[in-house]
């Protein structure tokens, strides 16, 4: 198990694996999102309370899930990097941050677009939207810290510490915001999601969520390969591959 | 079809959500792909320089 | 270990007393920010007393943030941070001493001054003990959490701009429980839940922040 792990952690082997996996994942991702969109837009019935507006769920909820999932990946990679000095983990954390921030942004905007017909306002200090907003700030802080430290290895370690500090704080922030929200908000305002969702609406949601996850992996692997190439310009295996023209 | 596009009167909320999601996701994907092209071009140039 | 802690504490306090602007400026900032609110939204007493808990808490948070940049800055610039790193004492303990000094010169004066500002904003008198208690627990937590950000950015030339971006999101739970405890006290509700949550945050920060800040300080010193 550990040897297998170690082998994967070498950038050369990871590059090879990513090369094989990327097209497979991309096809699966396109299929899942395609079927999910079809089912979500055409097959799933109209919600009797929210009408057709509920269909925003099929992009809002997967985006919100991804925003948290990607942060967990970043935190896990930061731990691997700090404890075992695994360079590959640092690259994955680095390229994941902008993707996570993108999904957080999407969750916020689609939440706002969904909130307008439901609440009558573009922004409501709903617990989940507020948590997403704070998560966006955390992503931005992470990227800002990384880009403002010139020494690459210091930047990587400082960012890793910040990611771990963030992962301790995110649940605390989440629960404190939820608590704050129940304290201040009258019960008349219905919250996003958390419905007793019907199975025919749930299946497209799960398809979309899985599709978004695969999309993250495809893009993350592509970006990781770019960074590996940039960082290892002078290594033997990259030279070999340039010579054979298969990058 | 028009009924579908109207989304029961919620079209101005539903379609921008889907469109924006598609734009942001594709922008990320294309950024990765164009970066890859640039990196490969850079590597080949460097390789050509070191050979001569 | 305890001796090293006390020596460092004493040294830093003496130094801080000499540089008056370090602890006086955030304090003045605190007073000015709070007095801007009546000017900005009008002198309506009932409105002011309603928003007083939030305003005082946000102003205290910003004043703490203002003082935070200097936490390791001077030691970093004159190289004495290297001696801390090389010292045989465990670094987290020394960092904790520095954080405590920082709180004594920036957090404690804020707490002591807060009744005056409560008066300005017509906060109900019955909320004063809670205000003081929550500010003591809260500003201690803010100093501890903020120290991580200060240690991460101390090596950067423009670290002062980055610091708020890193630590403000992390301050949010403290702000929520702090200001809501004062608001609850002002309206006569029990405050034990908020205060014990603030206490919980403080102990969590006390247990984790010195280690994280020490690790961050090592990274900043190496680059």
């Amino acid at each position: 198990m550990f040897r297998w792990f170690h082998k994967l952690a070498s950038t050369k082997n990871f590059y090879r694996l990513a090369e094989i996996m990327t097209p497979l994942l991309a096809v699966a991702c396109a299929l899942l999102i395609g079927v999910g969109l079809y089912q979500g837009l055409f097959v799933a019935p109209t919600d009797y309370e929210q009408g057709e507006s509920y269909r925003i769920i099929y992009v809002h909820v997967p985006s919100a899930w991804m925003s948290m999932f990607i942060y967990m990946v970043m935190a896990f990679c930061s731990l691997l990097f700090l404890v075992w000095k695994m360079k590959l983990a640092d690259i994955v954390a680095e390229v994941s941050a902008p993707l996570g921030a993108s999904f957080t942004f999407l969750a916020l905007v689609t939440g706002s677009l969904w909130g307008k017909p439901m609440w009558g306002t573009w922004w409501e200090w709903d617990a989940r939207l507020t948590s997403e907003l704070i998560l966006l700030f955390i992503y931005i802080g992470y990227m800002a810290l990384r880009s403002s430290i010139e020494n690459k290895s210091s930047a990587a370690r400082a960012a890793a510490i910040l990611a771990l500090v963030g992962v301790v704080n995110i649940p605390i922030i989440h629960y404190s915001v939820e608590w704050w929200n129940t304290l201040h908000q009258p019960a008349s305002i219905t919250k996003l999601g958390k419905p007793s969702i019907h199975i025919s609406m749930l299946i497209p949601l799960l398809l979309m969520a899985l599709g978004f996850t695969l999309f993250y992996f495809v893009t993350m692997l592509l970006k990781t390969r770019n960074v590996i190439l940039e960082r290892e310009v002078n290594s033997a295996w990259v030279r070999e591959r340039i010579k054979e023209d298969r990058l | 079809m028009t009924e579908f596009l109207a989304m029961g009167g919620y079209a101005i909320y539903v379609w921008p959500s889907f469109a924006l999601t598609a734009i942001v996701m594709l922008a990320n994907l294309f950024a990765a792909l164009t970066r890859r092209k640039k990196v490969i071009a850079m590597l080949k140039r460097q390789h050509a320089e070191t050979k001569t | 270990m305890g001796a090293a802690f006390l020596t460092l504490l004493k040294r830093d306090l003496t130094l801080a007393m000499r540089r008056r602007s370090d602890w006086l400026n955030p304090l003045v900032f605190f007073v000015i920010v709070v007095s801007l609110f009546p000017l900005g939204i009008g002198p309506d007493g009932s409105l002011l007393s309603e928003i007083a808990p939030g305003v005082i808490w946000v102003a205290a948070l910003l004043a703490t943030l203002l003082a935070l940049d200097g936490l390791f800055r001077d030691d970093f610039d004159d190289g004495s941070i290297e001696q801390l790193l090389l010292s045989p004492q465990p670094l987290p303990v020394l960092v904790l001493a520095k954080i405590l000094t920082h709180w004594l010169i920036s957090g404690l004066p804020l707490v002591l001054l807060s009744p005056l500002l409560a008066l300005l904003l017509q906060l109900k008198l019955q909320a004063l003990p809670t205000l003081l208690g929550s500010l003591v627990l809260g500003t201690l937590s803010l100093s501890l959490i903020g120290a991580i950000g200060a240690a991460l950015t101390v090596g950067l030339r423009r670290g002062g701009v980055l610091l708020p971006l890193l630590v403000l999101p992390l301050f949010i739970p403290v702000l929520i429980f702090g200001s809501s405890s004062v608001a609850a006290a002002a309206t006569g509700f029990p405050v034990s839940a908020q205060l014990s949550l603030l206490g919980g945050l403080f102990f969590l920060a006390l247990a984790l922040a010195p280690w994280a800040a020490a690790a961050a300080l090592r990274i900043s010193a190496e680059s």
Side-chain angles (χ1 to χ4, degrees):
Chain A
M1 166 68 192
F2 197 76
R3 269 189 64 189
W4 170 83
F5 195 62
H6 220 72
K7 246 179 149 176
L8 179 72
S10 102
T11 44
K12 181 186 164 190
N13 291 328
F14 184 85
Y15 192 93
R16 181 85 197 102
L17 184 72
E19 204 169 28
I20 302 167
M21 292 300 285
T22 310
L24 296 178
L25 292 176
V27 170
C29 165
L31 277 175
L32 280 166
I33 291 184
V35 177
L37 273 179
Y38 172 75
Q39 296 246 330
L41 290 174
F42 295 97
V43 180
T46 306
D47 188 81
Y48 78 97
E49 257 178 34
Q50 303 181 25
E52 307 288 352
S53 73
Y54 93 94
R55 293 189 199 274
I56 295 178
I57 203 178
Y58 297 122
V59 285
H60 170 75
V61 169
S63 297
W65 281 347
M66 291 317 295
S67 69
M68 283 176 266
F69 174 72
I70 295 177
Y71 198 91
M72 293 303 139
V73 172
M74 272 170 57
F76 178 68
C77 286
S78 301
L79 189 70
L80 287 182
F81 175 64
L82 278 183
V83 177
W84 288 288
K85 312 243 178 308
M86 197 187 283
K87 288 211 179 75
L88 180 66
D90 171 52
I91 300 177
V92 172
E94 181 187 358
V95 302
S96 292
L99 287 168
S102 300
F103 279 117
T104 316
F105 169 77
L106 283 177
L108 275 175
V109 178
T110 54
S112 169
L113 280 165
W114 192 7
K116 177 66 179 157
M118 280 177 62
W119 298 320
T121 51
W122 291 106
W123 180 265
E124 194 65 53
W125 288 94
D126 161 83
R128 290 173 182 210
L129 281 183
T130 311
S131 287
E132 285 290 330
L133 183 66
I134 298 167
L135 186 60
L136 183 64
F137 294 154
I138 292 178
Y139 272 119
I140 293 173
Y142 176 89
M143 293 188 285
L145 178 69
R146 199 185 257 280
S147 64
S148 56
I149 303 178
E150 275 165 37
N151 180 325
K152 283 277 176 227
S153 86
S154 309
R157 281 184 302 154
I161 287 184
L162 186 65
L164 289 179
V165 172
V167 88
V168 174
N169 271 281
I170 283 174
I172 300 176
I173 294 173
H174 183 77
Y175 286 111
S176 63
V177 167
E178 210 142 81
W179 182 85
W180 159 83
N181 193 253
T182 51
L183 193 74
H184 290 283
Q185 209 115 77
S188 65
I189 291 170
T190 40
K191 290 183 184 170
L192 289 188
K194 269 259 163 74
S196 48
I197 188 168
H198 190 259
I199 189 80
S200 58
M201 297 177 176
L202 186 63
I203 288 173
L205 183 62
L206 293 178
L207 290 175
M208 289 297 276
L210 200 57
F212 274 42
T213 313
L214 292 187
F215 174 85
Y216 158 66
F217 279 110
V218 169
T219 321
M220 182 270 278
L221 288 176
L222 273 171
K223 288 181 160 206
T224 305
R225 284 169 68 192
N226 292 344
V227 179
I228 290 177
L229 283 183
E230 279 176 332
R231 288 199 190 176
E232 311 211 346
V233 184
N234 294 315
S235 69
W237 70 270
V238 173
R239 285 164 173 277
E240 186 77 7
R241 272 172 173 257
I242 301 172
K243 211 182 283 172
E244 295 168 12
D245 199 21
R246 43 175 199 96
L247 281 160
Chain B
M1 191 64 194
T2 36
E3 194 189 345
F4 169 70
L5 284 176
M7 273 288 148
Y10 292 113
I12 56 160
Y13 307 113
V14 175
W15 295 123
S17 298
F18 280 80
L20 188 77
T21 306
I23 291 170
V24 170
M25 285 169 77
L26 290 177
N28 269 302
L29 186 64
F30 281 120
L33 290 171
T34 45
R35 177 87 180 271
R36 178 168 163 75
K37 270 189 195 137
K38 272 187 196 153
V39 171
I40 290 177
M42 190 262 300
L43 286 176
K44 283 189 173 158
R45 207 167 47 240
Q46 268 191 0
H47 184 72
E49 275 168 14
T50 47
K51 240 188 340 197
T52 51
Chain C
M1 201 165 89
F5 183 84
L6 286 178
T7 317
L8 188 61
L9 194 70
K10 223 188 242 166
R11 166 190 170 267
D12 281 353
L13 275 179
T14 326
L15 278 177
M17 281 304 150
R18 280 193 215 139
R19 281 192 315 264
R20 213 172 296 145
S21 67
D22 269 21
W23 56 272
L24 209 54
N25 286 357
L27 212 55
V28 176
F29 175 82
F30 182 45
V31 178
I32 294 179
V33 166
V34 169
S35 53
L36 284 180
F37 276 86
L39 296 172
I41 60 173
D44 177 2
S46 64
L47 178 61
L48 285 179
S49 73
E50 194 184 325
I51 62 165
V55 169
I56 295 176
W57 253 97
V58 170
L61 188 149
L62 293 176
T64 309
L65 187 68
L66 193 67
L68 215 49
D69 190 45
L71 178 49
F72 300 112
R73 178 76 60 199
D74 292 319
D75 284 353
F76 195 82
D77 289 344
D78 68 15
S80 51
I81 214 88
E82 303 283 336
Q83 278 162 10
L84 286 189
L85 295 181
L86 294 173
S87 126
Q89 310 294 336
L91 188 57
V93 174
L94 301 178
V95 168
L96 186 62
K98 292 205 80 71
I99 297 172
L100 188 59
T101 324
H102 177 262
W103 182 76
L104 285 174
I105 58 163
S106 70
L108 190 60
L110 286 185
V111 176
L112 297 177
L113 203 65
S114 62
L116 181 71
L117 298 173
L119 212 73
L120 285 182
L121 293 182
Q122 308 186 5
L123 183 71
K124 294 222 172 62
L125 270 181
Q126 59 192 12
L128 263 191
T130 312
L131 179 69
L132 289 172
S134 70
L135 276 175
V136 168
L137 280 173
T139 50
L140 272 168
S141 312
L142 295 183
S143 287
L144 283 162
I145 300 167
I148 305 172
L152 282 172
T153 54
V154 70
L156 302 172
R157 233 175 307 126
R158 292 156 61 79
V161 198
L162 189 58
L163 181 60
L165 197 58
L166 301 188
V167 296
L168 281 180
L170 308 180
F171 281 178
I172 285 168
V174 178
L175 173 69
I176 287 176
F177 296 128
S179 65
S180 86
S181 72
V182 182
T187 43
F189 282 103
V191 294
S192 55
Q194 286 93 326
L195 287 183
S196 45
L197 283 166
L198 268 181
L201 286 180
F202 166 66
F203 282 113
L204 190 68
L206 185 66
L208 298 178
W211 272 264
L217 210 53
R218 273 190 207 285
I219 295 167
S220 289
E222 276 168 30
S223 58

